């Protein structure tokens, strides 16, 4: 352990000495380049990491491929890491940390994760002195209260998630895996859905089941009867068009015209900015072991004018004044 620590110090010193030259930063994405979440945090990384650096990216694509392919995609990512020999690795979201964290913990490469919903220690990095990062904590209960402040007399709300890893972790963290619960006298029912036809059925039948609003979480891993992936944009557009109930969102990419009307949302840009701050500290000489994991943001109020008007909703002034508004 002492020799490994000494080698780690030499590696950090090497980073500092060559700081005038670009560091090579490899970003391993759990998802894919066109996914708005990935686009947001990558933009923040490139804007907030001080200096000019070389970026490389690898997409594990786990929103679109089947679970049976996760290990294969992780092997490709690991081979890419070995070929590139980067100075710093960024692991975007849970699947990248889950499948690569343990291996990277055995190296001397500084690793910064972001968008992690689970406890990072559950991914085999409990004793790693080269890994730290940024946690993501969906604001589900606070989002329910925000929706209730806008959709008056809301007594029952349906929360729809796909059945991906992030959705499962979020449900476990917020509701201890209970699919029905009560939040400030509001009855909450949460559905984890993997099949597109079943998703549609839930949306179309929500009003007849006496729900007053729908909160849409993640919808990116849905598959059809032939096990083909359904594009997230298609799911969101269909849901917005066919719901007769106000539709709220938990992430910023779900809000907008022909999407959800708004809510208290998380933004991936904030995750990337927080991770960039950690990387800057590493480039300045701190070891990851010295940097405690952080949580990026408390959420942002984001609303679509057109969708708020469509459902004839009124956003309370104290929320509206601090909110970001889009078409």
């Amino acid at each position: 352990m002492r020799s490994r620590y000494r080698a780690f110090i030499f590696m950090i010193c090497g980073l500092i000495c060559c700081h005038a030259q670009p560091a090579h930063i490899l970003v391993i994405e759990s998802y894919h380049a066109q996914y708005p979440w990935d686009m947001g945090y990558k933009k923040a990384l490139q804007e907030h990491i001080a200096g000019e650096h070389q970026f490389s990216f690898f997409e594990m694509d786990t929103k679109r491929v089947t679970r049976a392919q996760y290990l294969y995609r992780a092997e490709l990512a690991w081979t890419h890491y070995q070929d590139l020999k980067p100075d710093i690795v960024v692991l975007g979201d849970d699947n990248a940390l889950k499948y690569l964290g343990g291996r990277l913990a055995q190296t001397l490469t500084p690793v910064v994760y972001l968008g992690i919903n689970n406890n990072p220690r559950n991914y085999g990095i409990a004793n790693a002195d080269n890994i730290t990062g940024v946690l993501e904590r969906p604001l589900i209960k606070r989002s329910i209260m925000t929706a209730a402040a806008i959709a008056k007399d809301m007594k029952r709300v349906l929360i729809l998630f796909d059945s991906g890893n992030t959705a499962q972790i979020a449900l476990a963290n917020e509701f201890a895996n209970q699919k029905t619960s009560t939040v400030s006298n509001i009855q909450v029912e949460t559905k984890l859905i993997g099949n597109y036809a079943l998703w549609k059925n839930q949306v179309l039948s929500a009003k007849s089941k006496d729900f007053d609003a729908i909160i849409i979480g993640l919808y990116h891993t849905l598959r059809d009867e032939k096990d083909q992936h359904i594009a997230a944009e298609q799911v969101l557009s269909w849901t917005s068009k066919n719901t007769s109930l106000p539709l709220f969102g938990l992430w910023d990419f779900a809000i907008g015209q022909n999407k959800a009307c708004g809510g208290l949302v998380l933004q991936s840009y904030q995750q990337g900015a927080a991770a960039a701050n950690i990387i800057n500290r590493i480039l300045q000489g701190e070891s990851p072991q010295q940097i405690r994991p952080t949580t990026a943001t408390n959420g942002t109020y984001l609303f679509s004018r057109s969708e708020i008007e469509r459902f004839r909703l009124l956003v309370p002034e104290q929320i509206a004044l601090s909110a970001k508004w889009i078409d």
Side-chain angles (χ1 to χ4, degrees), residues 306-324:
S306 59
E307 296 301 314
I308 288 290
E309 291 175 3
R310 171 189 167 194
F311 288 105
R312 299 179 181 178
L313 299 172
L314 179 63
V315 179
E317 184 177 7
Q318 64 182 22
I319 294 177
L321 290 175
S322 62
K324 178 181 178 181

Side-chain angles (χ1 to χ4, degrees), residues 60 67 70-71 74 94-103 165:
M60 288 181 64
R67 288 180 183 274
Y70 287 8
L71 279 174
D94 286 75
N95 283 338
L97 185 61
K98 177 180 180 179
Y99 289 98
L100 295 164
R103 284 183 173 183
N165 286 345

